[in-house]
Amino acid sequence: MKEMVFATNNPHKLDEIRKIGEGRLRILSLADIDCHEEIEETGNTLEENALIKARFIKEKYGYDCFADDTGLEVDALKGAPGVYSARYAGEGCSFTDNMDKLLTALQGIENRTAQFRTVIALVLNGKEYLFDGVIKGKIIEEKRGSTGFGYDPIFMPDGYDKTFAELGNEVKNTISHRALAMEKLVDFLIFHS
Ligand code: IMP
């Protein structure tokens, strides 16, 4: 079975991709290859950051690898917070700080459309590939729901009247930006193995 490293230590993401590739791919985490260092995300785009992480593992540890980066892109804010989604309200800020900052930035603005976008970079047999997954929706005016993480309580995907945090992980993980990008990646890997 094809063996690859996923440059993450996030157990939820590992779980998600292992389920999608079950029986067809063996996914190793950073801990599995004894990598315990922080990989700095110094890029200005999601693509750059995902590539930085995947290349780092290939160069230093020798494994074929993939890595992801995600951003919330709000149309009225010209795509912000985008690549800076994790630290929108400053270094070390909480998910609540980030949501509060975004709700304040959108106060009085009618256009609340937004999208989550995930980019996955893959380094395989000396070549690099990019896959993306997008889900469109809108930012509602106050937080609703308690599952998930990040901006889930204020993001309502198109076609639903619930936020990601109200839909629950089971539904979210079948329609999310990350799930869409991961499905493209898994299809590609299975086809090429
Ligand atoms: P990462 O690249 O997956 O670490 O995501 C960067 C940031 O985007 C996170 O810290 C969250 O604030 C936000 N984010 C990523 N994925 C999601 C999601 O599925 N729901 C809500 N927020 C997310």
Side-chain angles (χ1 to χ4, degrees), residues 13 68-70 85-86 95 116 149-152 172 177-178:
K13 291 185 184 177
D68 71 323
D69 202 31
T70 295
S85 294
F95 293 143
F116 273 113
F149 70 100
Y151 297 87
D152 281 350
K172 179 187 164 190
H177 42 299
R178 200 167 17 259

Side-chain angles (χ1 to χ4, degrees), residues 111-184:
N111 176 13
R112 305 186 68 97
T113 56
Q115 63 179 23
F116 273 113
R117 191 162 69 91
T118 291
V119 172
I120 295 178
L122 168 70
V123 176
L124 179 69
N125 302 330
K127 286 195 188 144
E128 294 179 342
Y129 306 87
L130 291 170
F131 306 89
D132 73 349
V134 170
I135 181 154
K136 289 181 182 289
K138 65 176 181 216
I139 306 299
I140 61 164
E141 296 197 355
E142 51 197 37
K143 303 176 195 101
R144 280 172 35 185
S146 57
T147 62
F149 70 100
Y151 297 87
D152 281 350
I154 57 172
F155 182 80
M156 189 178 282
D158 285 350
Y160 294 83
D161 61 359
K162 289 182 175 161
T163 65
F164 263 171
E166 291 176 306
L167 284 171
N169 286 330
E170 209 161 307
V171 176
K172 179 187 164 190
N173 289 345
T174 61
I175 61 171
S176 82
H177 42 299
R178 200 167 17 259
L180 295 173
M182 285 186 175
E183 267 160 31
K184 286 186 194 169

